[in-house]
Amino acid sequence: MLIAPSILSADFGHLARDVKAICDGDCDLVHVDVMDGHFVPNLTIGPVVVSAVAAAATKPLDIHLMVENNTFFVDLFAPLQPKYISFHIEEEKHPHRLIQKIRSLGISPAIVLTPHTPPEAVEFLLEDLDMVLLMSVNPGFGGQAFIPSVLEKAKRLKAMIQKINPECLIQVDGGVTDKNIGLLKSAGVDVVVAGSFVYKNPVGVKEAIASLK
Ligand code: DX5
Ligand code: ZN
């Protein structure tokens, strides 16, 4: 499985240090949570700070948009050339068009589903997607409890992916720990995001990533 630590739980007073720590700890992606204070009740970082993250990172960026105006934010972050940009289907009228736009910018497109959205919502988009992100908490904050219904959702999504586009990855974000990662693997999940488990772990960042692996 691929491990994508979320820098939302990093110490923003030492952001470059904390980004380097996950990269040196052999993470696979650097997960960046962009929140606009409208789609979710929290406000995080924009391109000025994310460019500093990109400069410190030696692993590809995975930008998770939790915003109202997706196209505006895609244009804002595209110059940083992240590996992935993911956007919420609940907040996009024309997801098919936005997927094509992201790909035309040389970035892998991904769609995010909040806990209430069924996997069938992306069925007719799967052939064009590189990843589907299933939220296992309500988007907005780190450190929340894992919602177990995501396991059933991942299994249903995996069956659809195997038929339509076996290359498409399943990512899960929220409340991931060394206790539930095995269940996620069994449900067909390929990539996990982990914020507080990695950054607030007394064993240290490198050891926390190793324990997930
Ligand atoms: C929540 C974010 C997550 C969050 C995960 O909206 O999308 O990426 O940082 O944090 P943990 O792993 O602490 O649940
Ligand atoms: Zn996230």
Side-chain angles (χ1 to χ4, degrees):
M1 283 174 108
L2 302 179
I3 310 295
S6 165
I7 59 161
L8 190 59
S9 296
D11 175 353
F12 275 66
H14 299 93
L15 191 52
R17 179 201 68 190
D18 279 8
V19 169
K20 286 197 181 86
I22 55 172
C23 295
D24 293 347
D26 209 23
C27 73
D28 298 289
L29 295 164
V30 175
H31 186 83
V32 178
D33 290 303
V34 174
M35 307 184 188
D36 68 348
H38 296 280
F39 176 62
V40 288
N42 196 4
L43 185 62
T44 59
I45 52 179
V48 173
V49 177
V50 181
S51 63
V53 172
T58 53
K59 300 291 170 79
L61 300 193
D62 169 32
I63 297 185
H64 174 190
L65 298 178
M66 285 159 274
V67 300
E68 274 188 354
N69 190 345
N70 284 305
T71 304
F72 171 79
F73 282 89
V74 166
D75 285 330
L76 214 50
F77 289 106
L80 298 175
Q81 282 291 294
K83 167 93 176 102
Y84 294 99
I85 291 184
S86 59
F87 64 89
H88 277 262
I89 196 154
E90 300 85 10
E91 194 52 54
E92 183 51 51
K93 286 196 185 82
H94 301 291
H96 186 274
R97 180 184 291 154
L98 188 54
I99 290 167
Q100 314 309 323
K101 178 183 168 81
I102 293 170
R103 197 176 292 289
S104 76
L105 293 164
I107 300 162
S108 286
I111 280 188
V112 196
L113 308 183
T114 55
H116 76 281
T117 304
E120 288 73 18
V122 291
E123 186 171 5
F124 293 100
L125 300 169
L126 275 182
E127 62 182 357
D128 294 314
L129 285 172
D130 288 352
M131 187 162 74
V132 178
L133 167 49
L134 304 179
M135 292 305 298
S136 40
V137 295
N138 285 291
F141 302 94
Q144 304 179 81
F146 180 80
I147 300 172
S149 62
V150 77
L151 294 167
E152 181 57 30
K153 199 193 283 194
K155 286 181 195 159
R156 267 164 62 181
L157 178 61
K158 191 71 174 184
M160 282 163 43
I161 281 179
Q162 275 162 348
K163 258 198 284 172
I164 299 168
N165 178 9
E167 303 289 294
C168 181
L169 301 179
I170 301 180
Q171 182 178 44
V172 165
D173 181 4
V176 174
T177 68
D178 57 349
K179 303 284 182 292
N180 54 30
I181 192 167
L183 295 170
L184 291 165
K185 171 86 183 159
S186 309
V189 175
D190 307 288
V191 189
V192 291
V193 176
S196 43
F197 182 80
V198 168
Y199 278 114
K200 312 278 187 216
N201 199 318
V203 301
V205 164
K206 197 182 170 94
E207 293 73 12
I209 294 170
S211 73
L212 291 173
K213 292 204 166 188

